[in-house]
Amino acid sequence: MVSVEERYEHLEKTIRGYNISADFAQIKAAYVYAREHHGAQMRRDGTPYITHPLQVAQIVAEMRLDSESIIAALLHDCIEDTDSTYEDIAKRFGVTVADVVDGVTKLTRVKYSTMEEEQMENLRKMLFAMSRDIRVILIKIADRLHNMRTMEYQTPAKQKKKAFETMEIYAPIAHRLGMQKVKWELEDLSLKYLDPVAYDDICKKLEAASDEHDQFMSAVQSEVNARLEELGIPHATVYGRVKHPYSIYRKMYAQEKTMDEVYDLFAFRVLVDTVSDCYNVLGVIHDLYKPILGRFKDYIATPKPNMYQSLHTTVIGEEGIPFEVQIRTYDMHAIAEYGVAAHWKYKQGIKKEGGEGTYEWIRRLLENQEDADAEEFIHSLKIDMFSDEVFVFTPRGDVINLPAGATPIDFAYSIHSAIGNTMVGAKVNGRMVGFDYQLHNGDIVEINTSPSAHGPSRDWMKTAKSSEARSKIRQWFKRERREENIAQGRASFESELKHAGLSLSQITPPNVLPSILKRVSFQSLDEMYAAIGYGGCTALKAVNRIRDELLQISRAAAVEKASQEAAAAKEAQEGRPPAPQKSKSEKGLIVEGLSNCLVKFSKCCTPVPGDAIVGFITRGYGVSVHRKDCPNADPDRRTAAEQGRWIKVTWSDDVYESYTTSLEVVCKDRNNLLVDISTALSSCKVSVTSLNSHITTDGFAIFHIAISVSNAAHLDQVMRKIHQISGVMKVGRPAG
């Protein structure tokens, strides 16, 4: 076991290796401060908690960041997990360090109505802090990387949850920042927990063939080295590697291949001093080996938005084995490995805060999502930040990068909102195309505009792929068509209201309307109608929130009436309270203090015997039973008027043979997935009452399944069985 002091000494040694002028006194002070404040806290692996901040600081030091970054990494959990405050850190280590630490800190003290809303607000906070100081995300990625390295000590449920979040959020952010080395490790560690069977299978097969792979790579390396020396290309470094497990897994999944059918397992890198040497080496590689047509990419002439530069070519060796060769300079390689961290301005000694033009895309992303709700924010984030990209050209040769699947509408609005608003036609490679045409890499796009254009169509909102285009279209309708928006929004709202079994007269009384408007976050009904009209929100979401608010209002009225009746009854009995009773309901439940009452199981969390439960007295529907971990039963969310309506409910000995409950299963979409899930359910002897599924745009399959089980232990068996299916990433019980 390495001691805490030895870890700190290793950290200092790493820092001295690249920055001898670092502020070691403050770094030591930060280490002591963090160690004292984390005190006796322990990690799940049994080590003192301070080892985690030390390891995060070590990863940050390996990125070769400055003293303030190291200090912030050491302190990154202090505000969240100890009694330390922002003010105290600012006083001791400066406002800049405190801002970075605060940017990394999650919004743990705020309660949210849904998990999506909590995730959105934490991401929005992190991205906002990141737009001011890029070190926030670098430390957050280092934090997540160390957590994933030690994930083996967490529960299986938490392993899958964190691995899924890492694969969906943090690995793509690392990619967007050009941090390929970190991205690969995050992906491999996530796959280890999301699909352990496939991960182990790939690793075992790679290990079994390691001698054969090493022999092949050594032969190619020697051959290329010999030719480069012969031609006098100086300081060239050649090395090969086998693709990492997740890269192989994706190829197997996307192309439905077995491990033995994945031939391009190998990638070689050639590092040289200058750009001209890169192109010389390319000629050497194409002379030695046969290039595969269509597999050459020049990212030196047209760098990726994350600053990545390299020449890529795929060739076939003498043994008929295809392999990729990446050719780049040493400076390009540093950026390819560590991205933004490799050439960041703090490293170069510039001490100004924030404002890097390189990261303007973060600010644009946030601006485009200012009015978005949680679902829209997460969806747009995945498209704008995490999806594959397509590179197209303006007629003047400027490179524009857009999300994969982008259309001429996205291109027009990426140039300027005025271009999009006056667009009447588009040409791609000199040929007229429709507005829904999907752009491809290398397309030359020309937009035709007219001052007499009527402006964007509402259908463009469905066609546009990027949130920037959709945001600008919404802004146009918001500004130019207010009366039309109100009329259209009102019609949509009233139609949805009728569909929900409600009427406008139920929400307009003076004692009801203020709380309704507060719930939907608008100042007036016209403002809400206008937002629905221009696409700022949907009628369905507005009606759902209004229905929930009306239900709360009716519950509060029922409680008040019940309390008044109880007070009257108490007075009538001259202060003698009724004797408490317990009675067994016909559904296997005991409701404290109530006899022969109607009982129903809440659909929001579908409890089964063995779950911790609580009851809520409804108006006219008896007692509604919730799981205690259901957000709707959270004590912190109960109003004062509701307190008296929550009662104790327990399971009796004579429960039913089966109870209906719900599962949500998130998987990587593939063939025969539904067959495997059905087989697993059948093997657990459960009956399926309903099953719905949909495929997301990024290749995930989400199943909502209603099943009948005997108790919580039976349900756990079913969930474990589904977890074991290849490609299944998350199995959960919906609640709230």
Side-chain angles (χ1 to χ4, degrees), residues 182-209:
V182 174
K183 175 206 170 198
W184 289 337
E185 187 174 356
L186 288 173
E187 287 174 340
D188 287 347
L189 289 169
S190 298
L191 180 63
K192 181 179 178 181
Y193 298 107
L194 293 174
D195 197 342
V197 175
Y199 177 82
D200 289 341
D201 183 50
I202 291 170
C203 290
K204 285 175 183 175
K205 287 180 177 176
L206 287 176
E207 188 177 347

Coordinates of all heavy atoms in Angstrom, one line a residue, residues 182-209:
V182 N -7.5 10.4 -22.7 CA -8.5 10.3 -21.6 C -9.8 9.7 -22.0 O -10.4 8.9 -21.4 CB -8.7 11.7 -21.0 CG1 -9.8 11.7 -19.9 CG2 -7.4 12.2 -20.4
K183 N -10.3 10.1 -23.2 CA -11.5 9.6 -23.8 C -11.5 8.1 -23.9 O -12.4 7.4 -23.5 CB -11.8 10.3 -25.1 CG -13.0 9.7 -25.9 CD -12.8 9.9 -27.4 CE -13.9 9.1 -28.1 NZ -13.6 8.9 -29.5
W184 N -10.4 7.6 -24.4 CA -10.3 6.1 -24.6 C -10.4 5.4 -23.3 O -11.1 4.4 -23.2 CB -9.0 5.8 -25.3 CG -8.9 6.2 -26.8 CD1 -10.0 6.4 -27.6 CD2 -7.8 6.4 -27.5 NE1 -9.6 6.8 -28.8 CE2 -8.2 6.8 -28.8 CE3 -6.4 6.4 -27.3 CZ2 -7.3 7.1 -29.9 CZ3 -5.5 6.7 -28.3 CH2 -6.0 7.0 -29.6
E185 N -9.7 5.9 -22.3 CA -9.7 5.2 -21.0 C -11.1 5.3 -20.4 O -11.6 4.3 -19.8 CB -8.7 5.8 -20.0 CG -8.6 5.0 -18.7 CD -7.4 5.5 -17.8 OE1 -6.7 6.4 -18.2 OE2 -7.3 5.0 -16.7
L186 N -11.8 6.4 -20.5 CA -13.1 6.6 -19.9 C -14.1 5.6 -20.7 O -14.9 4.9 -20.0 CB -13.7 8.0 -20.1 CG -13.0 9.0 -19.2 CD1 -13.5 10.4 -19.6 CD2 -13.4 8.8 -17.7
E187 N -14.0 5.4 -22.0 CA -14.8 4.5 -22.7 C -14.6 3.1 -22.3 O -15.5 2.3 -22.1 CB -14.6 4.7 -24.2 CG -15.2 6.0 -24.8 CD -14.8 6.2 -26.2 OE1 -13.8 5.6 -26.7 OE2 -15.5 7.0 -26.9
D188 N -13.3 2.7 -22.2 CA -13.0 1.3 -21.8 C -13.5 1.0 -20.4 O -14.0 -0.1 -20.2 CB -11.5 1.1 -21.9 CG -11.0 1.0 -23.4 OD1 -11.8 0.9 -24.3 OD2 -9.8 1.0 -23.6
L189 N -13.3 1.9 -19.5 CA -13.7 1.7 -18.1 C -15.2 1.6 -18.0 O -15.8 0.8 -17.2 CB -13.2 2.8 -17.2 CG -11.7 2.8 -16.9 CD1 -11.2 4.0 -16.2 CD2 -11.3 1.6 -16.1
S190 N -15.9 2.4 -18.8 CA -17.4 2.4 -18.8 C -17.9 1.1 -19.4 O -18.8 0.5 -18.9 CB -17.9 3.6 -19.7 OG -17.6 4.8 -19.1
L191 N -17.3 0.6 -20.5 CA -17.7 -0.6 -21.1 C -17.5 -1.8 -20.2 O -18.4 -2.7 -20.2 CB -16.9 -0.9 -22.4 CG -17.2 -2.2 -23.2 CD1 -18.6 -2.2 -23.7 CD2 -16.2 -2.3 -24.3
K192 N -16.5 -1.7 -19.3 CA -16.2 -2.8 -18.4 C -17.4 -3.1 -17.5 O -17.7 -4.2 -17.0 CB -15.0 -2.4 -17.5 CG -14.6 -3.4 -16.5 CD -13.4 -2.9 -15.7 CE -12.9 -3.8 -14.6 NZ -11.7 -3.3 -13.9
Y193 N -18.2 -2.0 -17.2 CA -19.4 -2.2 -16.3 C -20.7 -2.2 -17.0 O -21.7 -2.8 -16.5 CB -19.4 -1.0 -15.2 CG -18.2 -1.0 -14.4 CD1 -17.1 -0.1 -14.5 CD2 -18.0 -2.0 -13.4 CE1 -16.0 -0.1 -13.7 CE2 -16.8 -2.1 -12.6 CZ -15.9 -1.1 -12.8 OH -14.7 -1.2 -12.0
L194 N -20.7 -1.6 -18.2 CA -22.0 -1.6 -19.0 C -22.2 -2.9 -19.7 O -23.4 -3.4 -19.8 CB -22.0 -0.5 -20.0 CG -22.0 0.9 -19.4 CD1 -21.9 2.0 -20.5 CD2 -23.3 1.2 -18.6
D195 N -21.2 -3.6 -20.2 CA -21.3 -4.9 -20.8 C -20.1 -5.7 -20.5 O -19.2 -5.9 -21.3 CB -21.4 -4.7 -22.4 CG -21.9 -5.9 -23.1 OD1 -21.9 -7.0 -22.5 OD2 -22.4 -5.8 -24.2
P196 N -20.0 -6.2 -19.2 CA -18.8 -6.9 -18.7 C -18.5 -8.1 -19.5 O -17.4 -8.5 -19.6 CB -19.2 -7.2 -17.2 CG -20.6 -7.0 -17.1 CD -21.1 -6.0 -18.2
V197 N -19.6 -8.8 -20.0 CA -19.3 -10.1 -20.7 C -18.5 -9.8 -22.0 O -17.5 -10.5 -22.3 CB -20.7 -10.8 -21.0 CG1 -20.4 -12.0 -21.9 CG2 -21.4 -11.2 -19.7
A198 N -19.0 -8.8 -22.8 CA -18.3 -8.5 -24.0 C -16.9 -7.9 -23.7 O -16.0 -8.2 -24.5 CB -19.2 -7.5 -24.8
Y199 N -16.8 -7.1 -22.7 CA -15.5 -6.5 -22.4 C -14.5 -7.6 -22.0 O -13.4 -7.6 -22.5 CB -15.7 -5.5 -21.2 CG -14.4 -4.9 -20.7 CD1 -13.8 -3.8 -21.3 CD2 -13.7 -5.5 -19.6 CE1 -12.6 -3.3 -20.9 CE2 -12.5 -4.9 -19.2 CZ -12.0 -3.8 -19.8 OH -10.8 -3.3 -19.4
D200 N -14.9 -8.5 -21.2 CA -14.0 -9.6 -20.8 C -13.6 -10.5 -22.0 O -12.5 -10.9 -22.1 CB -14.6 -10.5 -19.7 CG -14.7 -9.8 -18.4 OD1 -14.0 -8.8 -18.2 OD2 -15.5 -10.2 -17.5
D201 N -14.6 -10.7 -22.8 CA -14.3 -11.6 -24.0 C -13.3 -10.9 -25.0 O -12.4 -11.6 -25.4 CB -15.7 -11.7 -24.8 CG -15.5 -12.7 -26.0 OD1 -15.0 -13.8 -25.8 OD2 -16.0 -12.3 -27.1
I202 N -13.5 -9.6 -25.2 CA -12.5 -8.9 -26.0 C -11.1 -8.9 -25.4 O -10.1 -9.1 -26.1 CB -13.0 -7.4 -26.3 CG1 -14.3 -7.4 -27.2 CG2 -11.9 -6.6 -26.9 CD1 -14.9 -6.1 -27.2
C203 N -11.0 -8.6 -24.1 CA -9.7 -8.5 -23.4 C -9.0 -9.9 -23.5 O -7.8 -10.0 -23.7 CB -9.9 -8.0 -22.0 SG -10.3 -6.3 -21.9
K204 N -9.8 -11.0 -23.2 CA -9.2 -12.3 -23.3 C -8.7 -12.7 -24.6 O -7.6 -13.2 -24.8 CB -10.2 -13.3 -22.8 CG -10.4 -13.3 -21.3 CD -11.6 -14.3 -20.9 CE -11.8 -14.2 -19.4 NZ -13.0 -15.0 -19.0
K205 N -9.4 -12.3 -25.7 CA -9.0 -12.7 -27.0 C -7.8 -11.8 -27.4 O -6.9 -12.3 -28.2 CB -10.2 -12.5 -28.0 CG -11.2 -13.5 -27.9 CD -12.4 -13.4 -28.8 CE -13.4 -14.5 -28.7 NZ -14.6 -14.4 -29.5
L206 N -7.8 -10.5 -27.0 CA -6.6 -9.7 -27.3 C -5.3 -10.3 -26.6 O -4.3 -10.3 -27.2 CB -6.9 -8.3 -26.9 CG -7.8 -7.4 -27.7 CD1 -8.1 -6.1 -27.1 CD2 -7.3 -7.3 -29.1
E207 N -5.5 -10.7 -25.4 CA -4.4 -11.2 -24.6 C -3.9 -12.5 -25.2 O -2.7 -12.8 -25.3 CB -4.8 -11.5 -23.1 CG -3.7 -11.9 -22.2 CD -4.1 -12.0 -20.8 OE1 -5.3 -11.6 -20.5 OE2 -3.3 -12.5 -20.0
A208 N -4.8 -13.4 -25.7 CA -4.5 -14.7 -26.3 C -3.7 -14.5 -27.6 O -2.8 -15.3 -27.9 CB -5.7 -15.5 -26.5
A209 N -4.0 -13.4 -28.3 CA -3.3 -13.2 -29.6 C -2.2 -12.1 -29.5 O -1.7 -11.6 -30.5 CB -4.3 -12.7 -30.6

